[in-house]
Amino acid sequence: MSWLRGAFMGLLTLGALALSIGFLTFAHSVREAKAPNPTPEAEAIVTLTGGSTERLETGVRLLKEAHGRRLLIS
């Protein structure tokens, strides 16, 4: 029975290692991703409130630059 426990722990360790490598690869690809230039037009621009006014200013700027038809503030 101990060999079964060892095999299970080995598979569990390999699975955790595979998940960790996959997550690190994903995190690296997200950090390296660039925004499309020029920014495509959208139906709406969604701006979240809280933290700073920079979010609202960016949303209004994008609306003025015609990157969306309306501005939704949450």
Side-chain angles (χ1 to χ4, degrees), residues 35-74:
N37 194 10
T39 306
E41 183 180 335
E43 286 289 323
I45 300 164
V46 179
T47 302
L48 302 175
T49 58
S52 71
T53 60
E54 183 179 354
R55 295 176 184 171
L56 293 173
E57 292 168 356
T58 303
V60 171
R61 178 182 55 80
L62 289 171
L63 184 65
K64 285 181 181 177
E65 293 174 359
H67 291 289
R69 294 183 188 175
R70 62 184 68 115
L71 176 62
L72 304 173
I73 300 173
S74 170

Side-chain angles (χ1 to χ4, degrees), residues 6-17:
F8 177 73
M9 292 303 291
L11 287 174
L12 193 62
T13 302
L14 283 174
L17 182 63

